[in-house]
Amino acid sequence: MNILILGSGGREHALAWKIAQSPLVDQVMCAPGNPGMDEIGPCFDVNPTDIGEVVKLVLQIEPDLIVIGPEAPLAAGVSDVLRARGFDVFGPSQAAAQLESSKAFSKERMVKYGVPTAAYRNFGEGEEAAAEAFLETLTAPYVLKADGLASGKGVSILDTLEEAKAEARNMLGGKFGDASANLVIEEFMAGEEASLFVITDGEGAVYLPAAQDHKRLGDGDTGPNTGGMGAYAPAPVLTDTLLAQARREIVEPMLAGMAADDMPYQGVLYVGLMITETGPKVVEFNARFGDPECQALMAGLTGDIVPALLAAATHGLAGNEAAFEALLDLRHFRPTATVIMASKGYPYKYDKGEVIAGVGAARKIEGVEIFQAGTDRNGNGDLINTGGRVLAVTAIGDTLEAAFQRAYLGVDVIDWPGGIFRRDIGWRVRGT
Ligand code: AMP
Ligand code: GLY
């Protein structure tokens, strides 16, 4: 079969790499892809959120399955249009993807289905005074979230009431444009975070090993929030007992509730968890794989992911979960670490156009794979940086510690003086 992947980030490169290894797959195609994905299969210069362009492409190449990587096309309704044209699509409908594209929608669903999450209220235009009054009823730190998509940057956590009130006014005043025209203010949850990924056809569900992301830019979890600077899997913080609790209290009621409300969720549900004293609570849902969690998960999986993706897209998962878990070979998942190399200045304005050498040499290290994101080729054919997050240096090992050591060996072989990265990815499990 032929599979089309929409997107151009490290997540999509890792998906393309993994999918291409399936014996079921003849060809992986990407739109728009990146120089790394270009080595796997043909890339088409199509904007994945432009519904017209995407439809034109799929009518021309007729893929057997379309995997939507990023959130923007899901929020734009690309999956609905492709399904209406008769294509099999891995990715939720526009309605179901609101679990990510609207924080207010997502919170409302969690409350309706009795799913544990931080207490909250939302505020819209002209409700500055109400937002301030609500903040006064809370205790520090204060959590403010832009309602809409803001590339992982729409959340502010503030220590003083004064700062929180000012930020509420800023957000409602258009700090993130339309994305913050509505604002969610919620209770702070203390604990350690984990990312859980559930492949689902709306009814049945297959759980991948939990991963842990590193959202802050700097060592020691300091500096601004980013899309994610590194990840590892499995994340031991989500013990079997906690996973069972998360399934029972979070995932099962969400999937059942969404289906009952005529918005069955098909694709991968990303459950951002806070492991609190009373158990797992939801920080957020996303409608896609995490980036860079996906890079770690794809590298660590020893089995075939294509059957599960296809079954999620075609309602074939429910009742057959054990078979798909066996095909994924989840019992032999390899400990994996991934370290992001980013452009200097990220997550703000960053440098571009610097030559990056050593990717080939790093890939020759046993167990190391490099997934590309914000890269391109210059006129001489050299790899250069063009985006914020640029490379995901990913390694498997017999233990997590071995995986981390290899990933950093890979980072050291990359010759890119301008690149920035964290030295302490995995500190919670490495004991450093
Ligand atoms: P989000 O985009 O909702 O995942 O938020 C980004 C980050 O802010 C999360 O990964 C958490 O580290 C933090 N965060 C969000 N909501 C809360 C909360 N209610 N309590 C504590 N930390 C939070
Ligand atoms: N790594 C966080 C995200 O993908 O949203």
Side-chain angles (χ1 to χ4, degrees):
M1 61 190 295
N2 295 326
I3 299 188
L4 172 68
I5 298 174
L6 297 184
S8 62
R11 165 182 49 214
E12 288 78 27
H13 185 181
L15 285 167
W17 174 86
K18 183 68 196 165
I19 288 170
Q21 291 168 28
S22 169
L24 301 171
V25 171
D26 300 304
Q27 198 172 40
V28 175
M29 299 171 283
C30 305
N34 64 38
M37 295 162 87
D38 205 31
E39 289 176 24
I40 296 172
C43 293
F44 300 90
D45 189 15
V46 161
N47 172 358
T49 53
D50 185 324
I51 295 179
E53 275 190 47
V54 173
V55 168
K56 215 169 108 191
L57 175 69
V58 300
L59 291 177
Q60 183 195 324
I61 63 179
E62 298 195 319
D64 301 297
L65 176 67
I66 301 160
V67 176
I68 302 183
E71 59 273 24
L74 296 167
V78 169
S79 50
D80 306 78
V81 172
L82 295 176
R83 280 199 188 100
R85 293 269 186 169
F87 289 96
D88 289 331
V89 180
F90 182 80
S93 66
Q94 185 175 36
Q98 290 177 93
L99 286 181
E100 171 165 11
S101 62
S102 166
K103 299 259 188 213
F105 173 90
S106 177
K107 295 295 280 192
E108 188 188 292
R109 294 290 124 184
M110 285 185 251
V111 171
K112 179 167 183 198
Y113 309 141
V115 167
T117 187
Y120 82 107
R121 273 191 56 192
N122 50 308
F123 302 92
E125 200 191 332
E127 294 191 305
E128 284 84 355
E132 291 196 6
F134 182 61
L135 283 166
E136 281 169 10
T137 69
L138 301 175
T139 51
Y142 302 92
V143 183
L144 285 75
K145 302 186 174 186
D147 176 56
L149 293 178
S151 307
K153 290 154 206 157
V155 176
S156 297
I157 299 182
L158 299 159
D159 287 328
T160 69
L161 185 58
E162 217 167 47
E163 289 170 297
K165 286 181 174 179
E167 183 68 356
R169 288 192 176 276
N170 278 341
M171 282 198 180
L172 288 173
K175 178 177 178 183
F176 296 105
D178 282 350
S180 67
N182 290 296
L183 169 68
V184 168
I185 299 179
E186 67 179 35
E187 169 193 56
F188 181 83
M189 297 183 287
E192 186 174 335
E193 286 178 74
S195 308
L196 179 62
F197 297 92
V198 185
I199 296 177
T200 175
D201 62 356
E203 196 188 342
V206 168
Y207 294 72
L208 298 181
Q212 192 168 65
D213 186 16
H214 297 65
K215 289 211 159 102
R216 300 293 202 99
L217 180 70
D219 283 0
D221 288 338
T222 55
N225 262 329
T226 68
M229 293 301 291
Y232 64 88
V237 64
L238 198 70
T239 60
D240 288 348
T241 310
L242 289 170
L243 172 62
Q245 193 179 351
R247 287 176 75 138
R248 195 174 61 240
E249 294 181 2
I250 297 172
V251 180
E252 289 167 4
M254 277 312 290
L255 295 182
M258 292 292 283
D261 285 335
D262 287 328
M263 288 179 283
Y265 190 98
Q266 249 183 308
V268 59
L269 181 65
Y270 170 154
V271 189
L273 292 171
M274 188 70 79
I275 311 303
T276 71
E277 271 176 2
T278 56
K281 291 188 178 180
V282 177
V283 177
E284 63 167 349
F285 287 115
N286 291 315
R288 46 157 179 99
F289 279 109
D291 186 337
E293 294 99 317
C294 184
Q295 290 87 314
L297 290 171
M298 293 308 117
L301 281 174
T302 47
D304 189 352
I305 196 170
V306 171
L309 299 180
L310 195 59
T314 57
H315 298 289
L317 210 59
N320 302 313
E321 287 91 342
F324 292 103
E325 285 165 10
L327 287 165
L328 281 157
D329 198 20
L330 292 180
R331 287 207 273 170
H332 296 110
F333 184 85
R334 304 282 309 271
T336 310
T338 188
V339 177
I340 294 291
M341 299 185 77
S343 298
K344 199 167 149 205
Y346 175 76
Y348 308 114
K349 190 175 160 17
Y350 46 79
D351 299 340
K352 290 183 187 184
E354 301 154 344
V355 172
I356 302 168
V359 168
R363 291 180 69 193
K364 289 207 183 88
I365 303 172
E366 194 194 335
V368 172
E369 192 51 66
I370 314 282
F371 299 116
Q372 300 186 25
T375 57
D376 203 349
R377 297 220 175 259
N378 67 14
N380 300 326
D382 303 317
L383 196 67
I384 56 168
N385 64 324
T386 55
R389 292 188 295 169
V390 176
L391 302 176
V393 182
T394 306
I396 53 174
D398 288 336
T399 60
L400 274 176
E401 182 52 31
F404 284 115
Q405 288 183 14
R406 276 186 178 159
Y408 279 110
L409 278 179
V411 168
D412 289 337
V413 170
I414 302 286
D415 181 7
W416 174 26
I420 57 167
F421 59 92
R422 279 179 63 164
R423 268 282 166 207
D424 69 340
I425 298 303
W427 63 272
R428 286 178 190 274
V429 281
R430 299 187 79 185
T432 46

